[in-house]
Amino acid sequence: MASQGLPPSRMALLGMLLGLLMASCFTFCLSHQNPEFALTSPEKSSTKEAERKDTTAEEELDSEVLEVFHPTYEWQALRPGQAVPVGSHVRLNLQTGAREVKLQEEDKYRNNLKGLRKGKRLDINTNTYTSQDLKSALAKFKEGAEVESSKEDKARQAKVKRLFRPIEELKKDFEELNVVIETDMQIMVRLINKFNSSSSSLEEKIAALFDLEYYVHQMDNAQDLLSFGGLQVVINGLNSTEPLVKEYAAFVLGAAFSSNPKVQVEAIEGGALQKLLVILATEQPLTAKKKVLFALCSLLRHFPYAQQQFLKLGGLQVLRSLVQAKGTEVLAVRVVTLLYDLVTEKMFAEEEAELTQESSPEKLQQYRQVHLLPGLREQGWCEITAHLLALPEHDAREKVLQTLGALLATCRDRYHQDPQLSRMLVSLQAEYQALAALELRDGEDEGYFRELLGSINSLLKELR
């Protein structure tokens, strides 16, 4: 009996048809599935899409209007296409993905300060700019083009011009008011004429000298005083019978002599040194002698020729009489200071010549002709200086100790023969040891009294 099933050839054909049908169905299902199961790379696709959108957005922003975003002092979200002012804080919010911006804190204080100066708050400009406007402004800035002043700036400039007037207009106004603008030279000429006039009262002459002293402190003005003979007029004022005229004339001369070699030379030739010594050697008020001694010190310092003339005219004898007079302790300290300055000045000049290998410079030759130390020894200044240690003021003692040290090489044997000097130094040593201990207790590293104690110890060591 024949088999009831299909023959093998038909079975194979039927299997092939069934396989094709299943493949078609499978392909149809895949073509209609969700995009999330698509056979493409979603990351690459989204990246390309984002890049395309960003490029498109940049192209659009380049041609569209840029809105200037005005941040506050709180974080605010920044929309696409908004321009951020320079100096603002910008951050990316990792939670929302948005850019946020706010003002810096220092801008807040700066704006407040500007507002206070102007008396009002600053208005924020809400104008918008295109990218082309910004590029054009940047180009002008680089080229150094000047930006036109605003109306507010022009108004401010006009106000300044009203407040400050040209000097030519001021001179015209002064001429109408009979007010003359004088130079220092013209003022000094007027003051000298007032002082030298026979019709001027004593008060007017003193006032003229007082004002003149203010001007001759300047080196140029002091030299200008020579050009019209004013210096000689003031020197002649030292011959006045009025003590006040002598006092203020010396006051002017002392200011004019200070560190001014040209004026010093003219003063020596004009006889100022002799007149100053005569006043110090005669009976005069203490205030007048103070000013005269000031003028003498200014004339002698850094002027070896004047120092030579001072010794020839008996200047050391005059100063010795001045120091030994009663009630002249203040003058004594100034005299000792002057002698110390003259001794050390010559010493420094000789040391400088040795360092510079100059055997015979002109200034050194002049100093070598000043025989000051032998004159001090002969005139008894070794003993006079030692006795001044009895002065009660610490400052006076300091100057005396300095002078004793400067005269040590010349006066060593005189110091040994003076028992009062040794007793005074021992007494001062005990006093300043106590004061130096107080300085150490107060934490002072470099104390004034310790320096004085060191000077005393050095002298005692030399005298033992």
Side-chain angles (χ1 to χ4, degrees):
M1 182 172 148
S3 175
Q4 295 181 357
L6 295 176
S9 59
R10 287 180 179 267
M11 288 292 291
L13 180 60
L14 183 58
M16 291 176 62
L17 291 175
L18 183 58
L20 291 173
L21 179 61
M22 292 178 64
S24 299
C25 292
F26 183 73
T27 304
F28 177 78
C29 293
L30 288 177
S31 62
H32 288 78
Q33 66 181 350
N34 292 333
E36 60 180 340
F37 300 102
L39 300 178
T40 58
S41 176
E43 294 180 359
K44 295 181 179 180
S45 177
S46 60
T47 302
K48 292 180 180 179
E49 183 68 19
E51 292 177 353
R52 184 183 63 80
K53 289 182 179 180
D54 291 342
T55 304
T56 305
E58 291 178 358
E59 293 175 354
E60 292 176 356
L61 287 175
D62 189 58
S63 59
E64 69 179 0
V65 174
L66 292 176
E67 179 183 358
V68 178
F69 180 79
H70 300 287
T72 63
Y73 299 103
E74 301 294 335
W75 290 108
Q76 298 183 71
L78 187 67
R79 297 194 304 272
Q82 288 184 318
V84 180
V86 177
S88 303
H89 281 305
V90 180
R91 73 177 183 183
L92 179 64
N93 193 322
L94 298 180
Q95 295 180 351
T96 62
R99 289 193 302 163
E100 297 179 347
V101 62
K102 75 170 185 176
L103 290 176
Q104 299 186 31
E105 290 299 326
E106 53 267 26
D107 293 338
K108 178 178 180 181
Y109 301 115
R110 190 181 299 114
N111 292 336
N112 291 340
L113 180 59
K114 291 180 179 178
L116 290 174
R117 289 178 177 174
K118 292 187 176 181
K120 59 180 181 180
R121 288 190 175 182
L122 296 176
D123 296 330
I124 299 178
N125 186 3
T126 58
N127 295 333
T128 57
Y129 306 92
T130 63
S131 60
Q132 189 61 33
D133 294 335
L134 297 176
K135 292 178 181 179
S136 176
L138 181 60
K140 289 182 179 180
F141 176 77
K142 291 181 178 179
E143 294 172 1
E146 296 183 357
V147 181
E148 295 183 359
S149 300
S150 63
K151 293 182 179 180
E152 183 178 353
D153 292 336
K154 291 180 179 179
R156 182 178 57 81
Q157 293 175 4
K159 182 179 179 181
V160 171
K161 289 181 179 180
R162 290 194 301 269
L163 293 176
F164 301 96
R165 301 168 57 192
I167 187 63
E168 290 77 11
E169 295 182 7
L170 293 175
K171 286 182 178 180
K172 292 180 180 179
D173 291 345
F174 284 139
E175 290 176 358
E176 294 176 358
L177 296 172
N178 293 326
V179 177
V180 180
I181 300 178
E182 295 178 298
T183 63
D184 288 356
M185 179 75 164
Q186 293 171 333
I187 294 174
M188 290 191 298
V189 170
R190 177 172 53 81
L191 293 174
I192 287 293
N193 291 335
K194 175 65 71 174
F195 169 71
N196 202 32
S197 175
S198 58
S199 61
S200 299
S201 63
L202 177 61
E203 290 76 11
E204 290 175 335
K205 290 184 177 183
I206 298 303
L209 290 174
F210 183 83
D211 293 340
L212 185 62
E213 188 271 340
Y214 169 80
Y215 289 97
V216 298
H217 271 289
Q218 299 184 24
M219 181 178 293
D220 294 340
N221 288 341
Q223 294 179 4
D224 289 340
L225 194 65
L226 305 175
S227 61
F228 61 91
L231 182 67
Q232 191 60 51
V233 172
V234 179
I235 292 174
N236 295 336
L238 296 174
N239 295 328
S240 175
T241 57
E242 293 289 343
L244 279 177
V245 174
K246 293 179 181 179
E247 176 182 345
Y248 281 91
F251 191 36
V252 173
L253 293 175
F257 296 159
S258 298
S259 303
N260 205 329
K262 186 176 180 180
V263 179
Q264 288 175 321
V265 171
E266 293 291 335
I268 287 291
E269 295 178 354
L273 180 59
Q274 295 90 327
K275 293 178 172 60
L276 292 173
L277 290 176
V278 168
I279 296 175
L280 292 176
T282 56
E283 188 69 24
Q284 300 290 340
L286 183 61
T287 55
K289 289 192 174 184
K290 285 182 180 179
K291 295 295 192 299
V292 170
L293 185 58
F294 162 65
L296 178 65
C297 295
S298 299
L299 181 60
L300 296 181
R301 285 190 175 98
H302 306 289
F303 191 11
Y305 178 76
Q307 297 172 20
Q308 297 175 32
Q309 300 302 312
F310 169 77
L311 295 177
K312 291 179 180 179
L313 294 173
L316 289 179
Q317 295 92 320
V318 173
L319 295 182
R320 183 183 61 184
S321 300
L322 185 66
V323 169
Q324 293 177 337
K326 293 183 179 180
T328 59
E329 290 79 7
V330 176
L331 298 180
V333 175
R334 298 185 183 185
V335 168
V336 168
T337 304
L338 171 63
L339 297 179
Y340 171 78
D341 291 342
L342 297 181
V343 171
T344 55
E345 182 182 311
K346 180 180 178 179
M347 186 185 307
F348 291 151
E350 294 175 348
E351 292 177 356
E352 183 180 0
E354 293 178 1
L355 292 175
T356 56
Q357 301 297 324
E358 294 181 0
S359 58
S360 59
E362 181 179 355
K363 192 172 185 179
L364 179 60
Q365 291 298 323
Q366 293 179 4
Y367 274 115
R368 285 175 176 171
Q369 297 175 13
V370 179
H371 305 293
L372 178 61
L373 289 175
L376 291 173
R377 180 183 173 88
E378 293 173 3
Q379 296 294 328
W381 281 98
C382 298
E383 295 80 7
I384 294 173
T385 306
H387 295 165
L388 291 176
L389 277 177
L391 293 173
E393 294 82 8
H394 298 299
D395 182 65
R397 293 174 181 175
E398 178 187 11
K399 292 180 172 59
V400 172
L401 287 171
Q402 290 176 345
T403 307
L404 288 174
L407 298 177
L408 181 61
T410 303
C411 301
R412 186 185 299 273
D413 59 336
R414 300 290 180 91
Y415 293 165
H416 279 290
Q417 298 171 6
D418 188 354
Q420 183 180 354
L421 175 61
S422 298
R423 289 195 298 269
M424 181 62 66
L425 288 174
V426 172
S427 175
L428 292 177
Q429 184 184 41
E431 178 182 352
Y432 285 116
Q433 281 177 345
L435 294 174
L438 291 177
E439 287 180 336
L440 286 174
R441 189 186 65 182
D442 295 338
E444 298 183 18
D445 296 333
E446 297 180 359
Y448 173 74
F449 296 116
R450 267 181 286 174
E451 292 182 2
L452 293 181
L453 180 60
S455 299
I456 294 171
N457 292 335
S458 298
L459 281 173
L460 286 174
K461 182 178 180 181
E462 292 291 337
L463 295 179
R464 287 171 183 171

